Amino acid sequence: MSHASTIRGQEILNNPALNKETAFTMTERQSLGLEGLLPPTVENIDRQLERVQTQLAAKPNDLERYIYLMSLAARNKTLFYHTLMSDPARFVPIVYDPTVADACLTFGHIYRGSAGMYLTRDMKGRFKKILRNWPVKDVRFICVSTGGRILGLGDIGANGMGIPIGKLQLYTACAGVPPEALLPVLLDIGTTNAALRADPLYLGLRELPPDEAEVDLISDAFIEAATDVFPGVCIHFEDWKGTDAMRLLARYRDKVLCYNDDIQGTAAIAVAGLTTALQIKNETFADQRVLFLGAGSAGIGIASMIVSAMVEAGLGEAEARERIVLIDVNGLIETSRTDLNEWQKPFAHEAKPTKDLLEVVRTFKPTILIGVSTIGGAFTEEVVREMAKLNERPVIFPLSNPTNKAECTAEQAYTWTKGKALYAAGVQFPDFEYQGKSYHPGQANNFYIFPAIGLAVYATRPARITDDMFITAAAATADQVGPSAREHGMLFPLQANILETEVTTATRVAEHIFDSGQATVERPENIRAWIEGLLYKPVYKEL
């Protein structure tokens, strides 16, 4: 922050990285030309937090709280992160899922200012020059989306910018990655959403997306530019259209430092929750039969990581795949289908074609039911009761979000299984009491995983990100759920301790990176202490 000495007065107050608002000392006010520009009272950051909380309490809903917090981030980044990190269980659902879904749907209408970069397909030949307009030169992570498949909302184009912004804010709020190292990018290739293209307040290109070949060329140009302008940067792909997501991860994963959170992060958090559930059941992955409703990038990603877990538990890869069945919008993934993509084909089995989920439950007899379909209520009472008939402790993971897309609610799952379900959803449902016992539904949210991966990568600077890192993160997350928490059906650590949880997970991942020879920095004697020394702390610095 040495450039603080070169700017004075209103310029400092307009710089969110330097602005302390009422926390500037009298000495700072005199030396920096701030006298008269602020009220006379000098406050500490906790007094400022009180004011933030008071103003948030007066807002009528979480979307208005989201708007307020984004405005706070734009004027005082330190106070923004101090707020988030003071109570992550309260604030993460406001700045991210589920509130971010409403924010994205209305993004053009609630827009207050840019918090990242917008690259359009017609800038393809100038990406390097344009990326150099970003004021920070040592960018370590770029979260990039086309807005092609946002949460369960589908293609919302430039409105999807709320996701890269929110994801990177969680890197800092949940894992202490310094915010100046983070750059949200919306790669605007157009949108299939005709209603948005006709909306006068829509901020993106009013064009249909190009074909896959052109998407690949645009992506190649972006990857080349980003890695040239920001050497060593990690590219975090987020919410691309499913086929683009799978294809481009395969295209780049062995060439540049990158990962796709929808595929690898979602898989890791699902495996983490399943690991805890199986520990409660005293079973292994080798004992399971897994049925998916949904076979897009998230479903295939989770299924592939479960195959790895089953192989680690002693099964052969072919045998593991036989224990996993998927259903998509066109029915069961089976060998007579001619419309399967290359990632679905390995999971196609000899079976009678059907679109009936209940029929597949009865014939396949799954121990685990996972929903990534974005079809709210798809896990009907009949389906859930059948799972309970087949299993003493059925594992039911309706992972679609936002809330109205969940395949079943926690209350439904616990009621229909008479409290036997081991349950986690993609959103946080409230605690539920059934026959005198209190249940705390799990939230299989990627924020347990990707910020910890980010922190480990930030610290160790590997050349590539591997699936093994995500599997390590999943195991580390599961290991942090204690016996008393499991008694209440909890499958994930408490969100209130998210920074401690993520540092523990990041330490395990960093150890794996060092042990496997992938780190490009010298191994410290005490990895955890070293990582803790790198953490961002939301405290004001003397100017």
Side-chain angles (χ1 to χ4, degrees):
M1 300 293 182
S2 59
H3 63 291
S5 60
T6 67
I7 63 174
R8 291 170 54 78
Q10 195 63 48
E11 280 187 274
I12 290 178
L13 299 181
N14 291 338
N15 186 321
L18 300 178
N19 188 16
K20 299 195 276 188
E21 300 180 300
T22 56
F24 283 106
T25 66
M26 287 301 182
T27 301
E28 288 174 325
R29 296 178 190 210
Q30 292 168 9
S31 65
L32 297 172
L34 295 172
E35 287 185 293
L37 300 181
L38 295 163
T41 298
V42 176
E43 299 179 310
N44 63 29
I45 198 168
D46 290 318
R47 181 68 70 199
Q48 292 177 319
L49 175 60
E50 286 183 41
R51 184 173 294 106
V52 169
Q53 291 171 329
T54 299
Q55 294 183 20
L56 285 171
K59 301 297 181 185
N61 54 54
D62 278 348
L63 179 59
E64 289 298 323
R65 294 182 185 98
Y66 171 92
I67 293 169
Y68 173 84
L69 286 170
M70 293 306 107
S71 297
L72 177 60
R75 74 172 195 266
N76 185 337
K77 204 169 284 291
T78 306
L79 181 55
F80 170 76
Y81 282 112
H82 183 72
T83 301
L84 264 57
M85 297 170 86
S86 72
D87 191 353
R90 176 186 175 194
F91 291 114
V92 166
I94 296 175
V95 300
Y96 199 64
D97 197 28
T99 309
V100 75
D102 293 329
C104 286
L105 284 173
T106 57
F107 193 83
H109 294 246
I110 65 172
Y111 179 79
R112 298 291 197 279
S114 178
M117 296 198 76
Y118 294 80
L119 302 179
T120 60
R121 67 205 223 191
D122 58 335
M123 297 174 182
K124 184 176 67 174
R126 301 183 294 123
F127 281 161
K128 288 183 186 180
K129 179 181 179 182
I130 293 166
L131 284 172
R132 290 192 177 100
N133 290 336
W134 188 247
V136 178
K137 303 311 172 188
D138 185 21
V139 170
R140 299 284 297 279
F141 293 92
I142 292 174
C143 183
V144 58
S145 181
T146 59
R149 196 227 62 185
I150 297 292
L151 302 172
L153 306 175
D155 182 354
I156 60 172
N159 277 17
M161 182 51 144
I163 297 296
I165 292 169
K167 283 281 183 177
L168 292 180
Q169 287 170 343
L170 297 195
Y171 272 63
T172 302
C174 297
V177 178
E180 60 269 19
L182 311 173
L183 171 57
V185 171
L186 192 286
L187 188 58
D188 194 343
I189 61 172
T191 179
T192 58
N193 192 318
L196 282 180
R197 296 199 307 270
D199 181 350
L201 294 181
Y202 178 61
L203 293 167
L205 292 180
R206 300 172 190 274
E207 304 171 10
L208 287 168
D211 59 24
E212 284 188 357
E214 181 63 20
V215 169
D216 289 356
L217 291 175
I218 296 167
S219 302
D220 286 349
F222 169 72
I223 293 292
E224 181 187 353
T227 53
D228 182 67
V229 174
F230 306 113
V233 72
C234 174
I235 308 295
H236 167 163
F237 291 103
E238 186 67 38
D239 286 342
W240 292 54
K241 188 176 73 175
T243 50
D244 289 345
M246 300 292 289
R247 186 180 73 258
L248 294 174
L249 178 61
R251 187 179 183 91
Y252 302 125
R253 63 184 304 164
D254 296 327
K255 297 177 182 176
V256 298
L257 184 66
C258 70
Y259 72 99
N260 186 300
D261 183 53
D262 302 303
I263 300 169
Q264 294 158 292
T266 300
I269 195 58
V271 168
L274 293 175
T275 299
T276 310
L278 297 183
Q279 289 168 349
I280 292 171
K281 294 177 70 172
N282 197 27
E283 296 176 2
T284 73
F285 276 97
D287 305 317
Q288 307 311 307
R289 298 171 65 81
V290 188
L291 173 58
F292 285 82
L293 184 65
S297 58
I300 296 297
I302 298 169
S304 299
M305 199 166 285
I306 290 174
V307 168
S308 298
M310 287 179 167
V311 169
E312 194 173 302
L315 298 181
E317 187 167 324
E319 187 180 7
R321 290 187 189 280
E322 286 294 325
R323 291 171 173 265
I324 298 173
V325 164
L326 299 99
I327 301 172
D328 71 0
V329 66
N330 294 318
L332 188 65
I333 302 296
E334 41 82 19
T335 51
S336 75
R337 293 266 300 268
T338 58
D339 60 339
L340 302 181
N341 64 45
E342 61 182 288
W343 300 283
Q344 294 171 326
K345 286 176 182 177
F347 292 98
H349 307 306
E350 293 278 350
K352 183 181 74 172
T354 182
K355 292 185 176 182
D356 189 333
L357 176 61
L358 180 60
E359 178 186 347
V360 178
V361 170
R362 286 173 171 161
T363 56
F364 180 60
K365 297 180 170 49
T367 59
I368 296 168
L369 179 62
I370 296 175
V372 281
S373 67
T374 70
I375 302 173
F379 293 171
T380 63
E381 183 173 355
E382 274 189 306
V383 166
V384 174
R385 287 191 183 279
E386 187 67 24
M387 286 293 296
K389 187 187 299 184
L390 292 168
N391 302 282
E392 178 60 31
R393 299 296 305 273
V395 179
I396 299 175
F397 278 23
L399 301 182
S400 294
N401 55 43
T403 306
N404 66 339
K405 302 288 186 179
E407 286 80 5
C408 71
T409 67
E411 180 178 347
Q412 289 169 334
Y414 291 130
T415 302
W416 295 338
T417 65
K418 299 181 179 177
K420 296 194 300 180
L422 292 166
Y423 176 95
V427 295
Q428 185 64 64
F429 283 102
D431 287 1
F432 179 69
E433 188 168 311
Y434 180 80
Q435 295 186 346
K437 184 174 180 180
S438 178
Y439 294 87
H440 184 82
Q443 185 185 11
N445 193 306
N446 299 18
F447 68 65
Y448 285 107
I449 299 291
F450 71 82
I453 292 284
L455 178 56
V457 169
Y458 178 81
T460 62
R461 292 179 174 259
R464 302 288 179 268
I465 293 178
T466 65
D467 281 346
D468 285 348
M469 297 178 193
F470 284 92
I471 292 170
T472 300
T477 302
D479 287 348
Q480 295 180 74
V481 185
S484 61
R486 296 177 185 200
E487 277 294 308
H488 294 281
M490 288 178 61
L491 303 181
F492 302 97
L494 284 169
Q495 293 179 21
N497 302 323
I498 193 69
L499 181 61
E500 180 77 14
T501 299
E502 302 257 0
V503 170
T504 299
T505 299
T507 301
R508 286 268 294 273
V509 175
E511 287 170 351
H512 169 79
I513 292 171
F514 281 116
D515 290 345
S516 57
Q518 298 175 80
T520 61
V521 300
E522 186 177 343
R523 183 173 189 143
E525 188 173 329
N526 185 327
I527 292 176
R528 187 184 182 99
W530 171 64
I531 285 178
E532 287 176 342
L534 297 174
L535 298 180
Y536 168 79
K537 296 177 177 61
V539 294
Y540 291 130
K541 296 175 176 61
E542 186 175 346
L543 298 183

